[in-house]
Amino acid sequence: MIRRLFLLLLFAGSVPATAQTRDTTPRTVVMTAFLPEWNALIRSIDSPAEQKINGLVFVTGTMAGKPVLLMQSGVSMVNAAMNTQLVLDRFTVKRIVFSGIAGGVDPSLAIGDVIVPEQWGQYLEVSFARKGPQGWIPPEAIDPEAPAAWDMMFPRGVRVGNAKEAWQRHYLLAADPALLALARKVAGSITLRRCVEDGAATAARPAACLAHQPKIVIGGTGVSAGVYADNAAFRDYLFGAWKARVLDMESGAVTQVAFANGVPVIVFRSLSDLAGGDAGSNQMTTFMTLASINSADVVRHFVAALPD
């Protein structure tokens, strides 16, 4: 009995303090990937309170009177998945709203546009095929539901389930339909910006303006991978095979973790570049501030329209 009590006390003492719930107020998580996206939103948090876990900063407060938590997921897929699960484990989360920048894939979209996809895929969940006398030979049977291959890369999807749905292969995972409906309702009342605000410009990075008026687009497919994509041919492949309209490095991972936990999710992305479709060099560094602000503007209106 004494030995058992000792082991129980030892185990209890080994549980990290960070494993405890940090906040019991049900909140909308407003997630960003990195600093420019965070900067576009942090001043919108009223009564901010900061907490740190694993070196990440979590700011709780309100936005438009709604309880929120603002965070950075970190760039790329593993960071995004890891820290989405972290916030779900440590806080009381009603829904996840992602705000950030992305590369445009659909030729009808332009830099500065904000797109809200209805589903997300992970385009580098693939099998690498070996070369045979008659062409590529993938290591497993080709799924007739899979998007078409690119050279040696054959899409294989991800297997995932949750408490209500059995594990199965998914090529695409859906954003929450009710949140998408609200986004459609809100979109018509917002005018996006063509220029970076004067206060955001610096001597090293002067204000950047667009020749066109950006628009908001709801629907279609987004895709993600741990790749900074800037290749015109691969962009054309994603548009044709995946029907992708936009690509990034986090949203597919966030959507998968939200699905696995049964948490509603929606993603807002503003185009900072065209993923290789630009007439000249990649425009991300020129327009990431403007894109971050445009996405944040739409997210602020969206959060204001939430019922709670």
Side-chain angles (χ1 to χ4, degrees):
M1 179 64 71
I2 293 175
R3 182 175 181 274
R4 183 182 298 176
L5 179 60
F6 172 76
L7 290 173
L8 288 172
L9 290 172
L10 180 64
F11 176 76
S14 69
V15 177
T18 53
Q20 301 172 0
T21 300
R22 293 296 190 96
D23 181 81
T24 58
T25 301
R27 297 183 185 276
T28 296
V29 170
V30 179
M31 189 179 295
T32 64
F34 72 141
L35 194 59
E37 300 163 351
W38 165 282
N39 287 342
L41 284 162
I42 185 60
R43 291 176 183 159
S44 303
I45 307 298
D46 297 319
S47 303
E50 182 179 300
Q51 299 188 51
K52 290 184 178 181
I53 307 173
N54 292 355
L56 291 178
V57 176
F58 300 83
V59 175
T60 57
T62 61
M63 180 185 292
K66 310 298 168 58
V68 298
L69 179 154
L70 179 65
M71 64 173 289
Q72 295 179 61
S73 68
V75 173
S76 204
M77 301 289 276
V78 174
N79 278 334
M82 174 177 66
N83 293 320
T84 299
Q85 190 62 58
L86 177 64
V87 75
L88 293 175
D89 289 343
R90 301 295 189 267
F91 295 87
T92 307
V93 177
K94 287 188 288 192
R95 61 184 70 88
I96 297 171
V97 177
F98 202 109
S99 179
I101 67 173
V105 176
D106 185 337
S108 71
L109 300 178
I111 289 175
D113 291 352
V114 173
I115 182 165
V116 190
E118 59 193 340
Q119 55 192 0
W120 285 90
Q122 299 180 44
Y123 65 83
L124 281 189
E125 286 290 338
V126 297
S127 296
F128 278 12
R130 67 173 63 190
K131 191 76 169 180
Q134 306 301 320
W136 296 113
I137 305 172
E140 57 188 353
I142 298 173
D143 184 350
E145 300 298 319
W150 166 262
D151 200 54
M152 69 174 183
M153 299 189 301
F154 287 73
R156 63 193 307 270
V158 294
R159 289 191 178 276
V160 63
N162 59 29
K164 295 182 180 180
E165 299 188 35
W167 278 60
Q168 60 180 304
R169 191 185 303 273
H170 290 270
Y171 294 98
L172 299 168
L173 289 168
D176 183 75
L179 297 182
L180 282 167
L182 182 60
R184 289 188 176 93
K185 182 177 179 181
V186 168
S189 65
I190 305 168
T191 300
L192 298 176
R193 309 188 197 200
R194 290 180 49 245
C195 297
V196 173
E197 293 177 333
D198 292 339
T202 66
R205 182 183 45 74
C209 289
L210 298 168
H212 60 275
Q213 177 59 47
K215 60 186 178 295
I216 303 171
V217 178
I218 313 293
T221 298
V223 293
S224 304
V227 174
Y228 183 171
D230 189 38
N231 183 279
F234 196 73
R235 176 181 188 258
D236 291 344
Y237 159 72
L238 291 176
F239 183 63
W242 286 83
K243 305 298 185 288
R245 309 191 76 178
V246 63
L247 62 77
D248 66 28
M249 299 174 68
E250 297 87 23
S251 299
V254 174
T255 302
Q256 179 178 335
V257 176
F259 171 80
N261 287 273
V263 174
V265 64
I266 189 170
V267 177
F268 296 79
R269 291 283 186 171
S270 181
L271 305 193
S272 60
D273 64 275
L274 301 180
D278 315 78
S281 60
N282 187 282
Q283 297 293 295
M284 194 272 281
T285 56
T286 301
F287 289 108
M288 68 178 176
T289 299
L290 175 61
S292 296
I293 291 170
N294 272 348
S295 181
D297 283 349
V298 179
V299 164
R300 276 190 288 268
H301 281 80
F302 177 81
V303 171
L306 286 170
D308 52 16

